Amino acid sequence: MKKIYEFNSTIYSSEVGKGGAYVIFPFDIREEFGKGRVKVQVEFEGIPYEGSIVNMGVKDSKGNICYIIGIKKDIRQILKKDIGDIITISVQEKEDR
């Protein structure tokens, strides 16, 4: 069984006016997974999603690179969450098939 990462994140806008959004994965993915892009199974407050943790050039307030997970608009609508809201997330590396 793969490790489950649970955390809260603010929902950030990926592009002003474009509608995209993401959350920041608050762990060092190279340390945790040994690679820079990871396919994952995610639950956004119980809503399942499959995607990847990626580096899209996003930096935190200290200038450190952040790894992110996209959150689709339909998931945000179901949860009644939008840019700036806090969301609870559960992430697990996707099983190789």
Side-chain angles (χ1 to χ4, degrees):
M1 184 117 182
K2 304 250 182 189
K3 182 176 179 179
I4 297 173
Y5 299 84
E6 295 180 325
F7 58 96
N8 293 327
S9 176
T10 299
I11 300 172
Y12 298 93
S13 175
S14 58
E15 297 178 60
V16 176
K18 300 278 185 177
Y22 65 90
V23 296
I24 294 175
F25 185 73
F27 304 92
D28 182 328
I29 70 166
R30 292 201 183 273
E31 185 177 304
E32 296 294 327
F33 304 105
K35 49 192 165 185
R37 182 182 183 105
V38 182
K39 292 185 185 270
V40 290
Q41 295 173 305
V42 182
E43 284 192 7
F44 294 106
E45 299 190 357
I47 306 293
Y49 171 74
E50 288 190 8
S52 296
I53 302 172
V54 297
N55 172 354
M56 296 296 289
V58 174
K59 294 184 178 180
D60 65 15
S61 61
K62 297 177 184 171
N64 299 313
I65 294 289
C66 295
Y67 288 86
I68 65 170
I69 303 168
I71 177 170
K72 294 170 53 175
K73 190 173 188 175
D74 62 332
I75 293 173
R76 296 190 327 256
Q77 288 174 334
I78 290 167
L79 295 173
K80 295 182 173 62
K81 300 273 185 168
D82 208 348
I83 308 304
D85 290 337
I86 303 292
I87 189 167
T88 301
I89 304 142
S90 175
V91 176
Q92 185 173 27
E93 185 174 13
K94 191 172 175 187
E95 295 289 332
D96 294 329
R97 299 190 191 256

